[in-house]
């Protein structure tokens, strides 16, 4: 029986059981638990529908576990492929730098090296002056990295922070 058929059967049998219980109440027999249980079992297929529904739940839980494992496998594979692409990108970048080629036109793409701006390097946050901190109520002040970067770029000496030398970035434009 398919999942949709199981659901439909359960709904039909629940409605039949509801009508049977209503009839037993009208007759005053709803206090007898054994009579109610025997009537439900004999007059409806509710127990079978419930059993089929439980089997469906078991199947769903098995699929959930299996799909979760499959997702973990795909996530691990995706990370491997991403790492590989990053390594190849770094090798291309290195080849262009070593051969002193700031840009290169290929049939399928144009490669270009661009120098990135120097980034702030935090050596020790405790040494950074308070004027570079943004006051917050909780939990603590937040470092204003934009103001810190501007001060460092203006050649101001700031204890606990410096600028790196910048880096090179590879741009790939595909045709």
């Amino acid at each position: 029986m398919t999942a949709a058929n199981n659901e439909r059967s359960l709904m039909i049998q629940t409605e039949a059981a509801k009508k049977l219980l209503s009839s037993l109440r009208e007759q005053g027999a709803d206090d007898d638990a054994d009579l109610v249980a025997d009537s439900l079992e004999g007059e409806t297929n509710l127990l079978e529908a419930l059993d089929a529904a439980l089997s469906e739940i078991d199947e769903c839980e098995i699929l959930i576990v299996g799909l979760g494992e499959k997702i973990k496998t795909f996530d691990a594979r995706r990370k491997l492929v991403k790492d590989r692409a990053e390594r190849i990108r770094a090798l291309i970048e290195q080849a262009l730098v070593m051969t002193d080629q700031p840009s290169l036109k290929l049939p399928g793409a144009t490669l270009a090296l661009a120098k990135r701006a120097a980034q702030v390097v935090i050596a020790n946050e405790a040494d950074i002056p308070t004027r570079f901190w943004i006051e917050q109520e909780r939990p603590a002040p937040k470092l204003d990295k934009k103001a810190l970067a501007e001060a460092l770029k203006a050649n101001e000496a700031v204890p606990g922070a410096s600028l790196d030398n910048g880096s090179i970035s590879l741009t790939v434009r595909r045709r």
Side-chain angles (χ1 to χ4, degrees):
M1 193 178 276
T2 67
N5 287 344
N6 281 340
E7 291 174 26
R8 181 158 169 68
S9 174
L10 184 56
M11 289 187 328
I12 291 169
Q13 294 309 314
T14 300
E15 192 60 36
K18 183 176 158 185
K19 288 178 183 176
L20 179 62
L21 287 174
S22 177
S23 175
L24 289 173
R25 277 191 198 104
E26 288 173 4
Q27 297 173 14
D30 63 335
D31 290 341
D32 187 351
D34 290 335
L35 176 63
V36 169
D38 289 343
S39 297
L40 284 176
E41 185 175 353
E43 300 288 328
T44 70
N45 289 330
L46 181 62
L47 299 181
E48 291 85 0
L50 290 170
D51 192 45
L54 288 174
S55 294
E56 187 77 25
I57 289 172
D58 290 344
E59 188 174 324
C60 288
E61 289 174 351
I62 290 168
L63 286 171
I64 289 167
V65 170
L67 290 170
E69 289 302 313
K70 203 59 152 166
I71 288 169
K72 287 179 189 174
T73 301
F74 284 142
D75 283 344
R77 183 172 178 120
R78 182 180 63 203
K79 184 181 180 330
L80 288 173
V81 171
K82 182 180 177 189
D83 291 349
R84 179 174 179 234
E86 288 174 6
R87 282 192 312 273
I88 293 169
R89 188 177 187 85
L91 288 171
I92 291 171
E93 202 173 284
Q94 182 181 23
L96 292 175
V97 169
M98 292 178 77
T99 59
D100 199 25
Q101 299 285 321
S103 67
L104 189 61
K105 290 184 180 182
L106 299 173
T110 299
L111 306 175
L113 294 178
K115 184 153 175 54
R116 289 186 186 156
Q119 299 294 311
V120 174
V121 177
I122 307 296
N124 187 358
E125 283 189 357
D127 292 341
I128 297 174
T130 56
R131 70 184 180 108
F132 295 109
W133 292 89
I134 299 169
E135 289 295 325
Q136 293 181 327
E137 289 186 28
R138 288 204 178 261
K142 177 183 165 190
L143 185 61
D144 185 353
K145 291 185 181 178
K146 183 178 179 183
L148 181 58
E150 288 172 4
L152 290 169
K153 287 176 184 173
N155 292 324
E156 184 179 335
V158 178
S162 62
L163 288 176
D164 65 14
N165 293 330
S167 61
I168 294 187
S169 169
L170 175 66
T171 302
V172 178
R173 285 184 298 217
R174 304 217 184 246
R175 295 178 188 192

